[in-house]
Amino acid sequence: MSTAHGARARARIEVTAAIKDEARRQLAAEGAARLSLRAVARELGMVSSALYRYFPSRDDLLTALIIDAYDSLGECAERAHEPAADPFRRWITVCEAVRGWALDHPQEYALIYGSPVPGYTAPDTTVPAAARVGLLLIGIARDAHQDPEPARPPLADELRPEAERMAADLAPDLPPAVVTALVAAWAQLYGLVGFELFGQFNRVVEDRETFFRHAAGQLARGVGLVPASP
């Protein structure tokens, strides 16, 4: 790589990072629906045509921010994960990491798990990053259900066809009842975090850390995980 080419590559990385940082600032101040490439360019002292060389549209910039947010959340959960611990404890640790990340990054959490942005549809390129936490939880459940006699969540007869479809798509090696419980737990985890982050627990839950840990334990039990014997 030539010196000039390397300098151009570094400059592009730096400008891209500056664009994203300014976009995140605007998200915090105005919300995702009002994100504007022209406004980002103006704040950075760039002409709009120059910014379009980095992000051709607002949706391209949103997609980049969404992928960054999912990856940041996924990395946080993966760092917190304790592979040597029992599955129940591993589950709690990952859930607590999700909550901690959300409290530290409220605007980014709102971008990926808040209200949809009008006129924007996330492309398939967001899926690998979005799946990181879910795949981590599936892996924990998979390890737990290698036990010869694991706890199996119940499955209503009328749900079996849908449960079998979800299992085939998400985790063919797990029982459909477990996959159904995992999907429900995944939704409830983000519901718990969202309720705390967006104020629905105000005047309802005071000791939120303890409440969340208890609720995460209930979700773990729901997918068939049980605490290790003392």
Side-chain angles (χ1 to χ4, degrees):
M1 179 184 292
S2 69
T3 302
H5 183 77
R8 286 195 297 270
R10 288 193 298 273
R12 185 172 184 84
I13 291 171
E14 291 171 0
V15 173
T16 299
I19 292 170
K20 288 180 178 180
D21 287 344
E22 175 56 27
R24 292 187 187 99
R25 190 195 67 76
Q26 290 194 18
L27 287 178
E30 304 288 345
R34 299 189 65 181
L35 180 64
S36 163
L37 289 184
R38 290 183 180 275
V40 171
R42 183 173 59 250
E43 290 298 322
L44 293 176
M46 300 173 64
V47 295
S48 298
S49 58
L51 190 145
Y52 291 141
R53 291 199 293 269
Y54 293 86
F55 296 100
S57 70
R58 180 208 69 161
D59 285 4
D60 291 307
L61 178 53
L62 270 176
T63 296
L65 296 175
I66 287 169
I67 291 173
D68 283 355
Y70 277 131
D71 275 333
S72 177
L73 172 58
E75 288 166 8
C76 179
E78 290 160 4
R79 284 196 306 270
H81 182 223
E82 303 171 359
D86 67 274
F88 187 89
R89 179 59 205 163
R90 289 160 60 192
W91 177 282
I92 301 297
T93 300
V94 169
C95 290
E96 290 180 326
V98 169
R99 173 179 178 265
W101 183 90
L103 295 177
D104 289 340
H105 303 83
Q107 297 302 327
E108 291 169 86
Y109 186 88
L111 178 64
I112 55 178
Y113 288 115
S115 300
V117 180
Y120 173 80
T121 300
D124 290 344
T125 53
T126 62
V127 172
R132 290 174 69 165
V133 173
L135 290 175
L136 194 57
L137 295 175
I138 288 173
I140 293 170
R142 180 178 289 118
D143 290 347
H145 284 273
Q146 290 178 354
D147 189 294
E149 296 182 2
R152 293 286 175 86
L155 179 64
D157 289 341
E158 63 269 22
L159 185 57
R160 183 164 296 279
E162 177 65 5
E164 291 175 348
R165 184 200 63 77
M166 288 192 293
D169 287 346
L170 300 174
D173 56 327
L174 286 174
V178 174
V179 175
T180 301
L182 278 165
V183 172
W186 172 72
Q188 291 172 74
L189 168 62
Y190 290 113
L192 284 164
V193 173
F195 261 51
E196 179 174 0
L197 196 63
F198 303 135
Q200 282 88 350
F201 281 157
N202 291 350
R203 301 184 181 180
V204 178
V205 179
E206 293 185 0
D207 186 351
R208 294 173 184 173
E209 183 174 350
T210 301
F211 176 83
F212 181 86
R213 188 177 301 115
H214 170 79
Q218 294 298 99
L219 296 181
R221 292 179 176 87
V223 300
L225 309 186
V226 293
S229 300

